[in-house]
C-alpha cells in the first residue's frame, strides 16, 4: 500500500469512527455489535472497500457518505461477515519452483503458523481490542 493509500484509508477510517462514536451513544444494539471480538476496524475498512469496488466503473466510484456508513453498520451487525485482512499470500506454489523449494517453503510456513498459534494462545489471556475501543482511540481531527 502506498503512502497516499494509507493516508486515504486513515482519513476515511476516522470519518467512519466519528460517525460510529455518535451512533453508539443512542444505539445500544450497535454499541454491543462494536464490542464483538470477531470484528475490527481493519475488517470494517476492508468490507467497505469491497462494497465500493462492486460499484466502481473503470476503477472509479463515488459513494455517498450515508451508504458507506450503512455498510459499516451492516458489517458490525452481521455475524457471518468476516472481512479480516488476509496476511498470507497465495497457497499455490510457483510453477518454476522445484519440489524441494516447495517443501522448504511449506515447512517454513508451518513453522511460522506454529509460532503464530503460540502467540495467539498467549494473547487470548489478554482482552482483545474491540471496534468500540478502536473508534475511541482514533484521533479524529
Amino acid at each position: 500500500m502506498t503512502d497516499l493509500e494509507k493516508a486515504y484509508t486513515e482519513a476515511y477510517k476516522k470519518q467512519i469512527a466519528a460517525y460510529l462514536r455518535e451512533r453508539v451513544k443512542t444505539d445500544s444494539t450497535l454499541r454491543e455489535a462494536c464490542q464483538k471480538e470477531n470484528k475490527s476496524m481493519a475488517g470494517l475498512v476492508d468490507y467497505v472497500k469491497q462494497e465500493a469496488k462492486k460499484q466502481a466503473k473503470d476503477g472509479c466510484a463515488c459513494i455517498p457518505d450515508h451508504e458507506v456508513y450503512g455498510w459499516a453498520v451492516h458489517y458490525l451487525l452481521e455475524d457471518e461477515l468476516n472481512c479480516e485482512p488476509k496476511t498470507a499470500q497465495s497457497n499455490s506454489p510457483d510453477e518454476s519452483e522445484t519440489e524441494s523449494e516447495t517443501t522448504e517453503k511449506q515447512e517454513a510456513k508451518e513453522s511460522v503458523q506454529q509460532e503464530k498459534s503460540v502467540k495467539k494462545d498467549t494473547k487470548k489471556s489478554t482482552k482483545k481490542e474491540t471496534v468500540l475501543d478502536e473508534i475511541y482511540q482514533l484521533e479524529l481531527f
Side-chain angles (χ1 to χ4, degrees):
M1 184 182 289
T2 67
D3 288 343
L4 184 59
E5 289 170 325
K6 287 178 186 175
Y8 277 124
T9 298
E10 196 61 28
Y12 62 74
K13 187 191 305 185
K14 287 178 181 182
Q15 283 297 119
I16 293 169
Y19 171 79
L20 292 174
R21 274 188 185 183
E22 292 303 311
R23 245 330 261 280
V24 298
K25 289 178 182 177
T26 58
D27 188 335
S28 60
T29 302
L30 183 59
R31 183 176 187 79
E32 289 172 15
C34 287
Q35 295 173 336
K36 294 178 184 175
E37 288 192 15
N38 66 329
K39 302 295 180 174
S40 71
M41 280 301 287
L44 185 151
V45 168
D46 278 1
Y47 179 72
V48 168
K49 284 181 181 181
Q50 289 173 15
E51 293 301 307
K53 284 179 183 177
K54 290 177 186 176
Q55 293 192 14
K57 299 227 188 310
D58 296 324
C60 184
C62 292
I63 313 294
D65 290 349
H66 71 273
E67 196 164 344
V68 172
Y69 299 145
W71 293 335
V73 170
H74 180 72
Y75 165 79
L76 292 167
L77 294 176
E78 295 299 324
D79 283 333
E80 65 275 356
L81 291 178
N82 185 0
C83 299
E84 295 309 304
K86 309 264 187 294
T87 55
Q89 297 296 323
S90 171
N91 290 338
S92 60
D94 254 346
E95 292 176 12
S96 61
E97 290 181 329
T98 66
E99 190 173 316
S100 64
E101 288 173 327
T102 303
T103 304
E104 287 172 12
K105 282 187 176 183
Q106 184 63 30
E107 288 170 356
K109 187 176 181 180
E110 288 170 3
S111 174
V112 168
Q113 286 174 340
Q114 285 176 338
E115 289 175 26
K116 284 181 181 178
S117 178
V118 169
K119 287 180 183 177
K120 188 183 276 186
D121 290 342
T122 58
K123 282 184 178 179
K124 284 183 181 177
S125 62
T126 61
K127 186 178 177 281
K128 182 186 179 291
E129 192 172 78
T130 65
V131 173
L132 191 60
D133 297 328
E134 291 181 76
I135 64 173
Y136 282 109
Q137 288 174 5
L138 280 172
E139 290 183 26
L140 298 182
F141 304 103

